[in-house]
Amino acid sequence: MEMRILGRLTAADALPLYSWVAIGGAVVTILGFLAIIGTITWLGKWRYVWTEWLTSLDHKRIGILYVMLALVMLLRGFVDAIMMRAQQAFALNSGGYLPPEHFDQIFSSHGTIMVFFMAMPFLTGLINIIVPQQIGARDVAFPFMNSVSLWLTAAGAGLVLISLVVGRFSTAGWTGYPPYSGAGYNPGVGVDYWIWAIQVSGIGSTLSGINFIVTILKRRAPGMKLMRMPLFCWTTLASSILMVFAFPALTVTTALLALDRIFDMHFFTNTDGGNLMNYINLFWIWGHPEVYILILPAFGIYSGVVSTFAAKRLFGYKSLVYATMAIALLSFTVWLHHFFTMGASAGVNAFFGVATMVIAVPTGVKVFDWLMTLFRGRITFHPSMLWTLGFIVTFTIGGMTGVLLALPPADYLMHNSTFLVAHFHNMLIPGALFGYLAGYMYWFPKAFGFTLDERWGKRAFWCWISGFYLAFMPLYMLGFMGMARRMERYDVAAWQPPLVIAALGAAVILAGIACLVIQLIASIRTRERRRDLTGDPWDGRTLEWLTASPPAPYNFAVLPQVRDIDALHEMKRRGAVYERPERYEDILLPRNTGAGVLIGGFAFVFGFSAVWHIWWAAAAALLALLAAAAARSFCDRTEFRLSASEIQQIEERRLRQLAGEEAL
Amino acid sequence: MNNAPTAGRYSLKRYLGGYVLALLLTAIPFGLAATAALPRHSVLIAVGAAALAQVLVHLRCFLHLGLRTTAPERLLAIAFAAVLILIMIGGSLWIMFNLHYRMWV
Ligand code: HEM
Ligand SMILES: [Cu+2]
């Protein structure tokens, strides 16, 4: 066999010349990339970006980078979505504007991006910014590992993005089921892009999970007992436990698929003793907990928002904690509901059907707790509160369609139909994305020191929620009318009107996204008027509102003493906030390092080379990655000392600011 | 912070014993699979049993786990992990053997 330096990478295979739309996508991706590079160069900010952001080990900065990645990927994922909606609106008895091969790449990349590169970084970013502050800590337990996680996630996202320019993305859906994703039916690079993007970012997620668990268990301020932690910390803990235990299953499953594809093994082939159903089994052992990894942090955000903007202590704190942990455990016992139609015996299907319905119970408990918190509260209709109210109503509908799908006989009818597509969007958009957006608007002043414009926030909410109903309620109907998911064209005239309505809904969501962009730009422009000088713009109840906005690198000059669930609220009642300590002490902080960026970069080169079978480069990148990690472990100067006098200066300035604010 | 004993306090004997056991528990399944000395079904069971024993050897001899010497919250964490692994592996075996039975028997 002929050896080729660049593996199977050739210009003919690599360039997206198969459709005009694909060429357009490649051009937009390249232009977007150049625009970012160009802007930074034009502003002469490379040094600033590198030293203050890319190499930072400060959990707040890493968190902000995560959220920025998530917002960019949300745009990309949404472009995919609206392209599919447009295609299906036209494709009655015609090919529409997308060739089938391209349409299949789009639903695969949409699902992959939304789950792995929008939702995961969004929640990881919010957790990073907020959880250490809520438990009264100065950083996460492993600041360097945090940076590695970030850059591994970014490397995975980079692989998905570059697949639009060099080669193609998978056509096997976000689930990559064999045998279609096997080498026999899918010899190109698409599935490999999917596999390596997930491998690389999945390891980042596992590391994040470990980091958050240790942070929460080991870094709490004095008096912050577990049962005094804000609910967001509890849901983060639960979600991190799920990450640590579930993600290895995904890593192993996709690794076995890679072995099948590269070395002609037969774990999941139809022949030679392989069993493709085992792929589906293993995939969903990760897949179902993943749903809760995405949703639980949002539950925590809603809990904080409800309590702050109803100005009340959270109703049923303990029941919320127990419900969270119950959901976390139960989420490992239901995975077969994703493949009832495999045809297991009645006993197996009944067991998993019942287990699925049981999860609805703790979730229902939570809904009642939130409602009872709102009941007789003094409600402020901040946009975050609107996202929360929209969530409670909409998520309940999605939950009910879920209980319907949990009945195996009903699932046999609905499986793989657009009813399912409607159901999981009905869970993920209100259940996860609305929560992240609520958190984004709630905590933005904490991260940047000024608030977001509320009018544009409310407009965004109303567009998103009405767009959501328009876009997805017709899909429930279409499911009953027999429409399968992932259809590039169809010949049933009755399906077209609902599909047109769904496309209109996507257009309304587009308006919602436009509102989000305008909100951000308008708020940056008017930031001087919207400065948050107190660090506590919403009369907050938990510790993250005790720090300055944006917080000092060490968050707390003196670690707070916690006496209550609503720690800050209790301090305010005692009149014990913003007290001048007798003396300050030196604080050790993590020193910046480029090692995380380097490791992420090598992981990207490794993934790209593995996709194209450029084995020498893959081996070199892997070695370089290990060498970088090893070299870093020999570095002794990982921390620097911020002296007490510097801290005193920072804190005195803040106290003067607070005093001035009170005088006004 | 916590008073976890350092490795130096454990006897070399336990490390070496663990090492020999781990080697044995690796050699047995490889040997069985290579020589096919037992019927296929028994080989599978033996490999599984050796793997389980291997886990216990590691926990005991290398991670120094003991029911009385290890802090309760660590034992709890390990028990939790064991339950989840049991659910995943036990569930997979249940599901896949059930499918096998319905497809091939
Ligand atoms: C923002 C509005 C969104 C719209 C308009 C939208 C639209 C769509 C459409 C049209 C499909 C293909 C349906 C089919 O197969 O017939 C789809 C699939 C999917 N969407 Fe979305 N989506 C949106 C947001 C999201 C979000 C936020 C997530 C996850 C967090 C998500 C996850 C998925 C997944 C996993 C699939 C399945 C992909 C596959 O079939 O492999 N979507 N979406
Ligand atoms: Cu599920």
Side-chain angles (χ1 to χ4, degrees), chain A residues 42 61 114 122 132 150 178 231 237 246 268 298 350 374 388 392 405 432 479 489 541:
Chain A
W42 187 61
R61 301 240 157 136
M114 286 299 199
F122 214 148
L150 166 69
L231 225 84
L237 180 63
F268 305 130
L374 290 169
T388 307
I392 292 178
L405 285 171
R489 67 181 77 195
R541 309 170 73 83

Side-chain angles (χ1 to χ4, degrees), chain A residues 74 77-86 88 103-104 106-116 118-120 171-176 284 294 416-418 420-422 424-425 427-430 432-434 436 464 467-468 471-472 475 483-488 499 502-503 505-507 509-510 513:
Chain A
L74 173 63
F78 182 74
V79 170
D80 288 338
I82 206 164
M83 284 173 74
M84 289 187 285
R85 280 279 136 268
Q88 289 189 336
F103 183 81
D104 297 355
I106 294 182
F107 66 66
S108 306
S109 67
H110 166 77
T112 306
I113 285 178
M114 286 299 199
V115 171
F116 292 95
M118 186 285 287
M120 289 300 288
T171 52
W174 83 285
T175 46
W284 288 108
L294 300 182
N416 254 0
S417 72
T418 60
L420 172 81
V421 175
F424 70 67
H425 283 89
M427 303 311 270
L428 286 173
I429 292 182
L433 185 58
F434 281 13
Y436 308 154
W464 267 93
F468 168 79
F472 289 101
L475 294 198
M483 181 173 174
R485 70 194 285 197
R486 297 174 175 167
M487 290 188 79
E488 186 256 347
L499 284 170
I509 294 179
L510 176 64
I513 290 184

Side-chain angles (χ1 to χ4, degrees), chain A residues 16 157 217 230 321 326 329 477 494 498 621:
Chain A
L217 292 184
V321 171
L329 187 66
M477 227 170 82

Side-chain angles (χ1 to χ4, degrees), chain A residues 479-497:
Chain A
F480 285 130
M481 291 158 75
M483 181 173 174
R485 70 194 285 197
R486 297 174 175 167
M487 290 188 79
E488 186 256 347
R489 67 181 77 195
Y490 51 94
D491 53 12
V492 181
W495 292 351
Q496 196 169 35

Side-chain angles (χ1 to χ4, degrees), chain A residues 2 11 69 153 194 257 460 530 534 545 586 653:
Chain A
E2 152 194 41
L69 174 68
T153 309
W194 178 79
L257 184 64
R530 35 181 81 254
T534 58
W545 303 111
D586 293 0
R653 200 179 321 130

